[in-house]
Amino acid sequence: MILSCRYLLICSATLALLLLRLCSGLSLDTVREFLTREEDTVVFGLIERAKHPRNTPAYDPGYLAGGGHGHDASFAEMFVRESEAVQAKEGRYQSLQEIPFFPFRVPFTLAPPYNFTTELYSAAALVNVNDAIWSMYFNELLPLLAKNGDDGNYAATVSSDLVCLQALSRRINYGRYVAEVKFIGDQQNYTTLIRNKDTDALMKLLTSEAQEDVVKRRVQKKAMVFGQNVTLDGPVETGNSNSSQTSFKVDPSLVYKLYDKWVIPLTKQVEVEYLLHRLD
C-alpha cells in the first residue's frame, strides 16, 4: 500500500513537472535556440575583451595588497564580487539561468517580483561548474585572447571580463536544461543509467559528435563575420581564416578551440552531474 502511494506520488510529480514544462515552452528546439543565441553573446564578449591589453596588475592578488588596501584578492576578483552583490540586489539571480561566481545571501531585492518558471528538477537545479569556468577563463583563455601590454584601464578591462564570465557561465550551465529535456524525452534509458551511476554511458548517450561539429564550425564563422572591420563600403575583406594575413578582432580558431576544448566538454559535465541527481 505504501509503495503504491509512493509510486502514485512520483507519477503525479512527474506529470505535473511535464505539464509545467509544456506550458513554459521548454523543448529541445527552444533549448537549442537559446544556446545558438548565446553564441552571439559569447563571441561579442570576446571581441570586447580583446580590444584591451592583458593588464596583468588587475589579476595580481599582490597588487592591491601592496597598495595597503588590506585585500588578499586581485582587483578582478574584487570587481566581480562587488558587481555580483549589486546585481543580486537588483534581482539578477532570481532566475535559475544566472549563477553567481561568489554566492551569498541577499536580504532583499529591488527588482519587481516575477514568477520565474521552474523547469529544472529541484534536487539538481544547483549543479554548476563556475569554479572550472573561472579557472579556465583566467588561466587558459585570457592569455590567448588578450595581447601583452598595460594601459592602466583596469576597471574597463575587468568589466569586459565579467561580461565574458557571465556569458560563459550562462551558456555552459544551461546544460541543466539540456539534460532535463533529454531526460523527459527518454526517461526509461536515462533512469536505468542514473540508477546504475553509469557516467560513461550517460556521457555517450548525451553526445552527438555531428551536432557538436556544427556548433564549433558555426561559432568560428560567427567570429569571422562579427570580427570583421566594417566601413561605409561594407566589410573589409579579410581573406581565409587560415591565412597568416587574416586580421580579425578575435581569432576565429580561438573561438573554435574555446568551444571544442572547454565549452562543450564542461556543458556535458553539467548535464551528467545534473542527471546523477535527477532521481534524488
Side-chain angles (χ1 to χ4, degrees):
M1 180 65 178
I2 294 176
L3 290 176
S4 298
C5 291
R6 286 179 179 174
Y7 178 77
L8 289 174
L9 286 172
I10 292 172
C11 290
S12 299
T14 302
L15 179 59
L17 192 61
L18 179 57
L19 290 173
L20 178 61
R21 197 159 288 107
L22 291 173
C23 293
S24 67
L26 187 66
S27 67
L28 195 55
D29 287 338
T30 59
V31 163
R32 285 176 175 169
E33 181 182 1
F34 176 89
L35 295 177
T36 301
R37 291 299 302 273
E38 280 300 294
E39 294 168 6
D40 301 355
T41 307
V42 170
V43 172
F44 278 120
L46 295 175
I47 290 174
E48 183 67 15
R49 177 58 184 89
K51 77 179 186 183
H52 300 288
R54 182 69 188 278
N55 285 341
T56 304
Y59 310 97
D60 179 9
Y63 180 75
L64 290 181
H69 300 291
H71 298 301
D72 58 359
S74 69
F75 175 77
E77 181 176 329
M78 294 297 297
F79 188 97
V80 173
R81 283 180 181 271
E82 295 300 319
S83 298
E84 288 189 338
V86 172
Q87 292 177 358
K89 289 180 181 179
E90 300 297 336
R92 181 180 187 119
Y93 303 108
Q94 291 184 49
S95 168
L96 291 178
Q97 292 183 13
E98 303 282 355
I99 302 175
F101 285 87
F102 299 99
F104 42 78
R105 288 186 176 275
V106 179
F108 64 91
T109 175
L110 302 177
Y114 184 83
N115 184 27
F116 286 97
T117 55
T118 54
E119 299 99 340
L120 299 178
Y121 188 68
S122 59
L126 298 181
V127 167
N128 75 85
V129 291
N130 270 1
D131 287 346
I133 295 170
W134 181 276
S135 177
M136 174 274 291
Y137 180 81
F138 288 112
N139 297 325
E140 300 183 77
L141 178 62
L142 194 54
L144 301 175
L145 176 64
K147 295 179 180 179
N148 290 328
D150 184 355
D151 64 3
N153 292 314
Y154 303 142
T157 299
V158 177
S159 178
S160 62
D161 285 324
L162 177 59
V163 171
C164 289
L165 285 167
Q166 290 177 330
L168 288 168
S169 173
R170 189 167 51 249
R171 164 59 179 83
I172 291 169
N173 289 315
Y174 201 79
R176 296 167 298 158
Y177 293 84
V178 178
E180 179 63 30
V181 168
K182 291 184 176 180
F183 175 84
I184 293 298
D186 191 6
Q187 289 194 46
Q188 184 173 353
N189 284 331
Y190 279 108
T191 297
T192 300
L193 298 179
I194 293 168
R195 293 195 185 284
N196 293 333
K197 299 188 182 302
D198 193 337
T199 57
D200 291 338
L202 283 171
M203 183 67 75
K204 185 176 181 180
L205 188 58
L206 289 166
T207 299
S208 170
E209 293 184 0
Q211 182 62 30
E212 291 175 9
D213 183 62
V214 168
V215 171
K216 289 182 285 187
R217 288 189 293 109
R218 185 171 61 223
V219 294
Q220 183 179 31
K221 187 170 183 178
K222 286 183 178 182
M224 294 172 62
V225 174
F226 301 161
Q228 296 181 75
N229 292 311
V230 178
T231 68
L232 291 178
D233 297 324
V236 174
E237 291 296 331
T238 51
N240 189 309
S241 64
N242 295 321
S243 169
S244 60
Q245 302 301 316
T246 299
S247 177
F248 295 103
K249 295 173 184 175
V250 170
D251 184 355
S253 66
L254 176 59
V255 182
Y256 182 100
K257 179 179 181 179
L258 169 63
Y259 269 72
D260 179 50
K261 187 175 180 180
W262 296 302
V263 171
I264 291 176
L266 285 173
T267 301
K268 292 196 292 185
Q269 180 181 329
V270 169
E271 293 177 32
V272 170
E273 290 183 14
Y274 178 92
L275 288 170
L276 289 176
H277 293 283
R278 185 55 181 77
L279 302 179
D280 290 356

